[in-house]
Amino acid sequence: MRNVTADNITDVFMQYFGPDTDPRMREIMQSLATHLHAFARDVNLTHAEWQRGIEFLEAAGRVSDETRHEFVLLSDVLGLSSLVDMLHSSAAGTSSSVLGPFHISGSPPLPFGGDMKRHYEGEVLLARGTVTDTAGNPIEGAEIDIWQTAPNGLYSSQDEEQDTFSFHGIQTTAADGRYGFTTVKPVSYTVPTDGPVGDILRATGRHPWRPSHLHYIVKAPGFRPLVTEIFPDDDPYLDEDTVFGVRGDLVMKYEPHPADAFPEGYALSGTVTEPFLLAEFDLRLVPLG
Ligand code: BEZ
Ligand code: FE
């Protein structure tokens, strides 16, 4: 086609696919071009704005490496990560939520009742619950990969003061499906703003805060892996998470208890002298298939 115009370029693009193109690839690329062209027409995109967009993408590439994922962060703050999550989440189980860029592999085992708080300052949080199937039956042998920030709002991979696996642990459920551990009360924190995504947040008057949360990845044979987070109902950023990760069923309540109500069977049993918080949260897994 030599007579390409602003009106027909989208249709012309559709004709440029080879006959052996994978059908899903064709579907995705055709839809992408349709929406991209419509976007440029809609905002009447100028050369200078197009150039600015290209520079943004180049800058995101420059700051990215195997530990810094600026494009994932871009997807997160645009709501794309959460939308993809929700499109593939089953209503029968606990909602999924964003993985975020700070999960690390190889966390150490955290036995039932184990403690992740250690010497860190802050309120003791006892988190516990049951991993079940969609009928409420406990699941034995479910692995819960748990991680959170230290009280300074930084994950261990962002903070030279922390050990590699501080505030990371993997707990495996017994026949009763129960999990339980102590940690420090999580804090609200900001996503990284020192790269091009931070420039977008500032340019659009958005704050970079996430409500405080605990991250869980739950895996059990025969069930869909669940990547999720749980949030306390009193966090000031609950209704304005900058990465859109909060779902109604992931909100729980911290119940304050006096020190003498701290239960037996935990690493901290008998040592807690201040009031502590209890967070009860059951995790419901959806069968594979
Ligand atoms: C997190 O919760 O760790 C996170 C999620 C998205 C972007 C940045 C951090
Ligand atoms: Fe997080």
Short mmCIF file of all heavy atoms in Angstrom, two decimals, residues 73 76 98-102 147 155 189 191-192 210 213 215 229 243, ligand 1:
data_model
loop_
_atom_site.label_atom_id
_atom_site.label_comp_id
_atom_site.label_asym_id
_atom_site.label_seq_id
_atom_site.Cartn_x
_atom_site.Cartn_y
_atom_site.Cartn_z
N LEU A 73 7.63 -1.58 37.46
CA LEU A 73 7.10 -0.49 38.29
C LEU A 73 6.16 0.39 37.46
O LEU A 73 5.10 0.83 37.95
CB LEU A 73 8.27 0.32 38.87
CG LEU A 73 7.90 1.42 39.85
CD1 LEU A 73 7.16 0.86 41.07
CD2 LEU A 73 9.17 2.17 40.31
N ASP A 76 3.01 -1.34 37.18
CA ASP A 76 2.33 -1.30 38.48
C ASP A 76 1.59 0.03 38.67
O ASP A 76 0.42 0.05 39.04
CB ASP A 76 3.33 -1.47 39.63
CG ASP A 76 3.98 -2.85 39.66
OD1 ASP A 76 3.44 -3.78 39.05
OD2 ASP A 76 5.04 -2.99 40.30
N VAL A 98 -0.47 -7.81 43.52
CA VAL A 98 0.82 -7.64 42.84
C VAL A 98 1.97 -8.33 43.58
O VAL A 98 2.03 -8.33 44.81
CB VAL A 98 1.19 -6.15 42.64
CG1 VAL A 98 0.32 -5.50 41.59
CG2 VAL A 98 1.12 -5.38 43.94
N LEU A 99 2.87 -8.91 42.79
CA LEU A 99 4.08 -9.54 43.35
C LEU A 99 5.06 -8.46 43.80
O LEU A 99 5.70 -8.58 44.84
CB LEU A 99 4.73 -10.42 42.27
CG LEU A 99 6.10 -11.00 42.56
CD1 LEU A 99 6.01 -12.04 43.68
CD2 LEU A 99 6.69 -11.65 41.31
N GLY A 100 5.16 -7.38 43.01
CA GLY A 100 6.15 -6.34 43.32
C GLY A 100 7.54 -6.81 42.98
O GLY A 100 7.77 -8.00 42.69
N PRO A 101 8.50 -5.90 43.00
CA PRO A 101 9.85 -6.24 42.56
C PRO A 101 10.77 -6.74 43.67
O PRO A 101 11.96 -6.95 43.42
CB PRO A 101 10.37 -4.90 42.01
CG PRO A 101 9.61 -3.87 42.77
CD PRO A 101 8.31 -4.47 43.20
N PHE A 102 10.27 -6.95 44.88
CA PHE A 102 11.18 -7.21 45.99
C PHE A 102 11.13 -8.62 46.54
O PHE A 102 11.72 -8.90 47.59
CB PHE A 102 10.95 -6.19 47.11
CG PHE A 102 11.19 -4.78 46.66
CD1 PHE A 102 10.15 -3.86 46.61
CD2 PHE A 102 12.45 -4.38 46.24
CE1 PHE A 102 10.36 -2.56 46.17
CE2 PHE A 102 12.68 -3.09 45.79
CZ PHE A 102 11.63 -2.18 45.76
N TRP A 147 7.09 -12.25 52.99
CA TRP A 147 8.10 -11.19 53.05
C TRP A 147 7.46 -9.84 53.30
O TRP A 147 6.27 -9.64 53.06
CB TRP A 147 9.01 -11.19 51.83
CG TRP A 147 8.47 -10.67 50.53
CD1 TRP A 147 8.74 -9.46 49.95
CD2 TRP A 147 7.59 -11.35 49.60
NE1 TRP A 147 8.09 -9.36 48.74
CE2 TRP A 147 7.39 -10.49 48.50
CE3 TRP A 147 6.97 -12.59 49.61
CZ2 TRP A 147 6.59 -10.85 47.42
CZ3 TRP A 147 6.15 -12.94 48.53
CH2 TRP A 147 5.98 -12.08 47.46
N TYR A 155 12.87 -3.04 51.89
CA TYR A 155 13.08 -4.49 51.79
C TYR A 155 14.57 -4.77 51.92
O TYR A 155 15.41 -3.89 51.65
CB TYR A 155 12.54 -5.00 50.45
CG TYR A 155 11.04 -5.04 50.41
CD1 TYR A 155 10.31 -3.98 49.89
CD2 TYR A 155 10.34 -6.12 50.93
CE1 TYR A 155 8.92 -4.01 49.88
CE2 TYR A 155 8.97 -6.15 50.93
CZ TYR A 155 8.25 -5.10 50.40
OH TYR A 155 6.89 -5.13 50.41
N TYR A 189 4.92 2.34 52.95
CA TYR A 189 6.21 2.76 52.38
C TYR A 189 6.00 3.27 50.96
O TYR A 189 4.92 3.07 50.38
CB TYR A 189 7.23 1.61 52.41
CG TYR A 189 6.88 0.43 51.53
CD1 TYR A 189 7.19 0.43 50.18
CD2 TYR A 189 6.21 -0.66 52.05
CE1 TYR A 189 6.85 -0.64 49.38
CE2 TYR A 189 5.87 -1.75 51.25
CZ TYR A 189 6.20 -1.72 49.91
OH TYR A 189 5.84 -2.77 49.11
N VAL A 191 7.01 3.43 46.85
CA VAL A 191 7.70 2.72 45.77
C VAL A 191 8.89 3.59 45.36
O VAL A 191 8.91 4.80 45.64
CB VAL A 191 6.76 2.44 44.57
CG1 VAL A 191 5.58 1.59 45.00
CG2 VAL A 191 6.29 3.72 43.91
N PRO A 192 9.90 3.01 44.69
CA PRO A 192 11.08 3.83 44.32
C PRO A 192 10.68 5.00 43.41
O PRO A 192 9.94 4.81 42.45
CB PRO A 192 11.98 2.83 43.58
CG PRO A 192 11.53 1.47 44.04
CD PRO A 192 10.07 1.60 44.32
N ARG A 210 2.38 3.06 49.30
CA ARG A 210 1.61 1.82 49.36
C ARG A 210 1.15 1.63 50.80
O ARG A 210 1.91 1.89 51.74
CB ARG A 210 2.51 0.60 49.02
CG ARG A 210 2.98 0.56 47.59
CD ARG A 210 3.00 -0.88 47.12
NE ARG A 210 1.64 -1.41 47.13
CZ ARG A 210 1.32 -2.71 47.22
NH1 ARG A 210 2.27 -3.61 47.33
NH2 ARG A 210 0.06 -3.10 47.21
N HIS A 213 1.60 -3.82 54.37
CA HIS A 213 1.10 -5.14 53.98
C HIS A 213 2.13 -6.22 54.29
O HIS A 213 3.31 -5.94 54.47
CB HIS A 213 0.78 -5.18 52.48
CG HIS A 213 1.91 -4.72 51.61
ND1 HIS A 213 2.07 -3.41 51.23
CD2 HIS A 213 2.96 -5.38 51.07
CE1 HIS A 213 3.16 -3.28 50.49
NE2 HIS A 213 3.72 -4.47 50.38
N HIS A 215 3.41 -9.74 52.36
CA HIS A 215 3.31 -10.47 51.08
C HIS A 215 3.30 -11.97 51.37
O HIS A 215 4.10 -12.46 52.20
CB HIS A 215 4.56 -10.21 50.22
CG HIS A 215 4.64 -8.86 49.62
ND1 HIS A 215 4.08 -8.55 48.41
CD2 HIS A 215 5.26 -7.73 50.05
CE1 HIS A 215 4.34 -7.29 48.11
NE2 HIS A 215 5.05 -6.76 49.10
N GLU A 229 -1.27 -10.33 49.03
CA GLU A 229 -0.82 -9.45 50.12
C GLU A 229 -2.01 -9.27 51.03
O GLU A 229 -3.15 -9.33 50.56
CB GLU A 229 -0.45 -8.06 49.59
CG GLU A 229 0.40 -8.02 48.36
CD GLU A 229 0.49 -6.59 47.83
OE1 GLU A 229 1.34 -5.84 48.30
OE2 GLU A 229 -0.30 -6.24 46.94
N VAL A 243 -0.15 1.35 43.54
CA VAL A 243 -0.08 0.27 42.54
C VAL A 243 -1.39 -0.54 42.48
O VAL A 243 -1.42 -1.62 41.89
CB VAL A 243 1.15 -0.65 42.76
CG1 VAL A 243 2.43 0.13 42.66
CG2 VAL A 243 1.08 -1.41 44.07
C1 BEZ B 1 5.71 -4.20 46.78
O1 BEZ B 1 4.69 -4.34 47.39
O2 BEZ B 1 6.72 -4.73 47.21
C2 BEZ B 1 5.72 -3.35 45.53
C3 BEZ B 1 4.75 -3.55 44.58
C4 BEZ B 1 4.77 -2.78 43.42
C5 BEZ B 1 5.75 -1.82 43.25
C6 BEZ B 1 6.72 -1.61 44.22
C7 BEZ B 1 6.70 -2.38 45.39
#
